[in-house]
Amino acid sequence: MSASSAPDRFETARLEKLNKIVDLGVDPYGQRFDDHLPIAEARRRAPGEPGIIGDEVRVAGRILRWPKTGKLQFVHIQDATGRIQLMMSKADLSDEQWTLISALDLGDVVGVDGKLRRTNTGEITVFVERLTILCKSLAQPPEKFHGAKDIELLLRHREVDLIYNEGVLERLLLRSRIVDSVRQTLRSKAFVEVETPVLHAIAGGAAARPFHTHHNALDIPLFLRIALELHLKRLMVGGVERVYELGRVFRNEGIDATHNPEFTMLEAYQAYGNYESMMDLTEAVISDAVRTVLTARAMAAGDAVADAPPADDGRLTLPWGEGTIDFTPPWPRRKYADLFQEHVGCDISDAAAVQTAAASHGIEWANVHPDVVVSEVFEACCEQHLTGPVFVIDYPAAICPLTKRKTGDPRFAERFELYVEGMELANAYTELNDPRLQEELFRTQLAGLPDEESMAKMDHDFISALKVGMPPAGGLGIGIDRLVMLLTNTRTIRDVIFFPLLRPERVAPRGGGGAAESP
RNA sequence: GAAGGCGUAGCUCAGUCGGUAGAGCAACGGACUUUUAAUCCGUAGGUCCUGGGUUCAAGUCCCAGCGCCUUCACCA
């Protein structure tokens, strides 16, 4: 498990076999291996019954299971598309090949040529005529039946998790397909993908604590971005009318089942639109992604039960825990104030009643802006009821410093959040394009928020861009990791990220563990 | 950042009241030409997370530290 160079007894045993392979004049780390079939494709070509000799095929993969049974060996290998059994008979192979086989272990990568057949028990099998070692593995695989279970081990050595635990690779590959789908939907609507700076002099566009870094040559402090918003709006000023970025943002906050310090955000901006245009866009992006997942699931099922067409009732329904989520659009649009009235039992403008509700949930309200109190009461009382998908629309203006006020009612901002299963999945608004109001909102610090966490940070480059003139526009943000969680029935964000952040393992404790004195 | 739980062989896990460190799988040697967690015989494998303490004796009790998990706080 450790990165130590001292081989353990398992590695030593494998090194001995590696040397045995070298003694045969064979490269234990292999060479280019052309024209092999994906295992799933080889399985499709297999004959239907035992006794029929099928196609000659070439496949490659990692050895996963190997009950060693004398002069007739059955080995199971796996590639990205599936698993297949190999049968190796001493009588059919040269002495050199049999020696090579005796030097193989679980975890080695091999390629084989042979004919597809079924065994007496009906299992699809390649009857090996020639075996090629492509990589000798020096690591001991986990227990064959229970697999690796220790969460820390799986996260620190994700490659082991990917190889030996079923469904892990599939889920993460499905993430890639979902991201493809999001890009395709946006492209089909003429949105242009761009890349804006990750290193910011001012980390703006959201309320979050940033990561600090430093540029040596310029000798200036820099921050990793916490949002994509401000640069993308400047591009809209510059004439990129439909623009999006799908990229990593970084927030220096706590870590839990739904938060990783770096996560993937989609932000899309549409000139001449508003928050209602963004609701339509959100429905399109997400329902297309749901269709992608349904298609992938149908294909996986079709592979197992041979070309049965997927049952299609026209609904976009995906499993979630014991139940399901129905993503079939259109999704309901509920006013923030109405939901507040419904679940809290008072009007958001009734300050006394809101304070009472806040106090009963242990929420601080003295010297806090009334809209911030409303927002915290909403989160405490309403969010868990929003199983959704549901658009919550028209937020209290003071908690939306980058949002245009509602025409005729400046108490509210033209903002929506999309909730699914109590999780905030998307956040969007009609963008504020009045530079003087924007500057004023930046100057008016939000009550109760320390400066570093405030959304109201003055970005002069952004204000001067707004002075050039940004057309009216809608803007949308979707947390891609959470979208993937909801679409793949996954409860923790670390299972939709290949390498979630962990505290580094301490190497070489050098004696005095906790006894280290401080200066 | 706070509270609770966990940490024993490569892996999955037992370990009673404080009294010689255990099993299965994997590994190594042997038998075996249709296995499906193959089977059978044999061998080897331990910093019980780390460091202190109590005790005749600590995997077990106490203190401190490290890591992970869960819940909470911050946040999306």
Side-chain angles (χ1 to χ4, degrees), chain A residues 330-459:
Chain A
W331 303 329
R333 303 177 178 193
R334 301 289 314 280
K335 286 192 173 174
Y336 188 95
D338 292 350
L339 287 166
F340 194 92
Q341 177 79 53
E342 194 173 302
H343 292 113
V344 183
C346 68
D347 192 277
I348 63 169
S349 59
D350 182 346
V354 170
Q355 284 171 8
T356 305
S360 76
H361 286 88
I363 293 166
E364 190 69 38
W365 53 267
N367 301 318
V368 178
H369 190 289
D371 281 355
V372 174
V373 178
V374 164
S375 163
E376 289 180 9
V377 172
F378 184 91
E379 281 171 24
C381 301
C382 303
E383 276 190 359
Q384 73 262 26
H385 299 291
L386 303 174
T387 53
V390 56
F391 290 112
V392 178
I393 65 171
D394 297 345
Y395 276 62
I399 58 173
C400 312
L402 294 156
T403 309
K404 184 173 274 193
R405 276 56 187 129
K406 217 168 158 48
T407 311
D409 191 351
R411 293 176 304 156
F412 294 99
E414 290 196 349
R415 171 182 180 181
F416 75 77
E417 290 191 356
L418 173 67
Y419 280 89
V420 183
E421 293 298 327
M423 240 193 286
E424 182 194 327
L425 184 56
N427 181 20
Y429 26 88
T430 304
E431 301 298 338
L432 178 58
N433 63 342
D434 175 342
R436 290 177 302 167
L437 179 54
Q438 182 70 81
E439 185 165 2
E440 183 191 324
L441 294 178
F442 275 171
R443 287 196 192 287
T444 311
Q445 295 288 307
L446 283 179
L449 284 178
D451 188 60
E452 192 182 44
E453 298 177 22
S454 173
M455 201 187 281
K457 271 185 289 259
M458 183 64 68
D459 184 326

Side-chain angles (χ1 to χ4, degrees), chain A residues 200-508:
Chain A
H200 287 192
I202 297 171
R209 292 159 66 185
F211 284 91
H212 298 244
T213 185
H214 182 261
H215 189 274
N216 288 342
L218 297 180
D219 190 24
I220 52 169
L222 288 172
F223 303 96
L224 300 187
R225 65 184 177 188
I226 59 172
L228 314 174
E229 177 144 354
L230 303 186
H231 283 103
L232 292 178
K233 285 185 183 172
R234 288 170 67 183
L235 290 180
M236 260 196 308
V237 171
V240 191
E241 293 180 356
R242 294 185 174 209
V243 64
Y244 76 97
E245 181 164 4
L246 211 168
R248 207 70 58 80
V249 297
F250 308 83
R251 297 189 181 177
N252 208 338
E253 311 279 359
I255 299 174
D256 63 27
T258 55
H259 298 83
N260 194 59
E262 51 179 306
F263 62 102
T264 302
M265 176 80 95
L266 166 71
E267 288 194 24
Y269 292 86
Q270 180 178 338
Y272 311 115
N274 68 0
Y275 75 142
E276 288 176 330
S277 342
M278 301 327 278
M279 280 186 242
D280 298 338
L281 182 64
T282 304
E283 279 180 349
V285 164
I286 294 178
S287 59
D288 284 354
V290 172
R291 273 183 212 98
T292 298
V293 173
L294 287 170
T295 302
R297 287 159 52 93
M299 285 173 67
D303 184 48
V305 296
D307 300 326
D312 189 2
D313 55 4
R315 309 291 298 179
L316 300 180
T317 304
L318 287 175
W320 181 250
E322 299 300 306
T324 58
I325 306 173
D326 189 344
F327 284 97
T328 313
W331 303 329
R333 303 177 178 193
R334 301 289 314 280
K335 286 192 173 174
Y336 188 95
D338 292 350
L339 287 166
F340 194 92
Q341 177 79 53
E342 194 173 302
H343 292 113
V344 183
C346 68
D347 192 277
I348 63 169
S349 59
D350 182 346
V354 170
Q355 284 171 8
T356 305
S360 76
H361 286 88
I363 293 166
E364 190 69 38
W365 53 267
N367 301 318
V368 178
H369 190 289
D371 281 355
V372 174
V373 178
V374 164
S375 163
E376 289 180 9
V377 172
F378 184 91
E379 281 171 24
C381 301
C382 303
E383 276 190 359
Q384 73 262 26
H385 299 291
L386 303 174
T387 53
V390 56
F391 290 112
V392 178
I393 65 171
D394 297 345
Y395 276 62
I399 58 173
C400 312
L402 294 156
T403 309
K404 184 173 274 193
R405 276 56 187 129
K406 217 168 158 48
T407 311
D409 191 351
R411 293 176 304 156
F412 294 99
E414 290 196 349
R415 171 182 180 181
F416 75 77
E417 290 191 356
L418 173 67
Y419 280 89
V420 183
E421 293 298 327
M423 240 193 286
E424 182 194 327
L425 184 56
N427 181 20
Y429 26 88
T430 304
E431 301 298 338
L432 178 58
N433 63 342
D434 175 342
R436 290 177 302 167
L437 179 54
Q438 182 70 81
E439 185 165 2
E440 183 191 324
L441 294 178
F442 275 171
R443 287 196 192 287
T444 311
Q445 295 288 307
L446 283 179
L449 284 178
D451 188 60
E452 192 182 44
E453 298 177 22
S454 173
M455 201 187 281
K457 271 185 289 259
M458 183 64 68
D459 184 326
H460 293 285
D461 291 338
F462 175 60
I463 296 293
S464 82
L466 286 187
K467 285 181 178 172
V468 173
M470 184 177 83
L476 164 68
I478 295 179
I480 295 296
D481 310 86
R482 289 187 177 175
L483 176 65
V484 174
M485 286 171 67
L486 285 164
L487 267 46
T488 59
N489 196 10
T490 304
R491 292 292 173 156
T492 64
I493 198 169
R494 60 168 190 256
D495 287 339
V496 297
I497 295 175
F498 275 111
F499 300 103
L501 184 71
L502 289 184
R503 191 182 290 273
E505 266 178 317
R506 240 184 359 162
V507 196

Side-chain angles (χ1 to χ4, degrees), chain A residues 27-48:
Chain A
D27 178 357
Y29 290 107
Q31 299 292 333
R32 171 173 173 166
F33 195 69
D34 287 333
D35 301 325
H36 60 281
L37 292 175
I39 283 173
E41 172 60 20
R43 295 186 68 88
R44 276 192 285 276
R45 295 191 189 184

